[in-house]
Amino acid sequence: LDSSRESGVAFDRALHLVGPDDELLLVTVIDHADIERELREKGSHLLPAYESLKESRAEEIANSIQQKYKRICAEREITFNYVSELGDPRKDTCSIIEQEQVSVCVVPFGQHNHGFFSRVR
C-alpha cells in the first residue's frame, strides 16, 4: 500500500476477496531511495544519526499510509496484520509474500500503467 489512488482502489477490491476466516496482510514498503533523497534535500545525510533518521522517517510515512487502511479493516471487523519495511518495494514485497505464505496478492498498477508484476522478474 502507498498513498496513491491506485493503492486505494486495489485495497477496496481486496476487501471483496476477504472471507470471514481470512486474514488480510497490509504491506507497505518505503523505497530507501526516496527516503535518502528526502533526507539529502534537508541536509540530514550529514548527521551522525542518519541511519536511524532513515528508519524513523520510513516508519512515520508507513504509519501515515496504513492508518486509513487499518481503520477501515477495524470498522468492517476484518482480521488483518501489518508489515512495513524500508527497502526496495519490488524485492521486499516479493520476499514478504513468500515469507508470509500469502495465498492471494492484490497489487495496484503503478505509474505510467506499468503494473507491479510486469516489472518483477
Side-chain angles (χ1 to χ4, degrees):
L1 298 168
D2 58 30
S3 58
S4 71
R5 180 187 159 290
E6 293 82 7
S7 189
V9 170
F11 175 75
D12 187 56
R13 292 202 175 131
L15 293 180
H16 295 290
L17 300 173
V18 178
D21 297 327
D22 293 335
E23 179 179 22
L24 191 61
L25 179 63
L26 306 175
V27 178
T28 299
V29 179
I30 304 298
D31 193 327
H32 58 85
D34 292 343
I35 296 295
E36 288 177 355
R37 184 173 32 260
E38 178 183 324
L39 293 176
R40 260 189 248 111
E41 288 173 0
K42 294 178 179 179
S44 301
H45 65 290
L46 302 173
L47 297 172
Y50 177 64
E51 290 302 317
S52 68
L53 278 174
K54 281 194 322 189
E55 289 291 331
S56 58
R57 181 62 183 134
E59 186 176 326
E60 181 181 309
I61 293 169
N63 286 337
S64 168
I65 291 167
Q66 292 284 340
Q67 199 171 36
K68 167 186 161 184
Y69 299 108
K70 287 178 178 182
R71 181 184 47 76
I72 292 169
C73 287
E75 286 172 357
R76 297 184 184 191
E77 298 181 351
I78 296 171
T79 304
F80 69 93
N81 197 356
Y82 165 64
V83 176
S84 69
E85 290 190 12
L86 173 63
D88 180 306
R90 287 180 276 180
K91 290 179 185 175
D92 292 339
T93 300
C94 290
S95 295
I96 291 167
I97 289 168
E98 192 173 290
Q99 179 181 341
E100 298 294 328
Q101 299 178 354
V102 172
S103 300
V104 176
C105 177
V106 178
V107 181
F109 279 93
Q111 296 174 351
H112 312 294
N113 294 325
H114 294 257
F116 175 83
F117 288 110
S118 69
R119 295 187 300 238
V120 175
R121 307 249 186 270

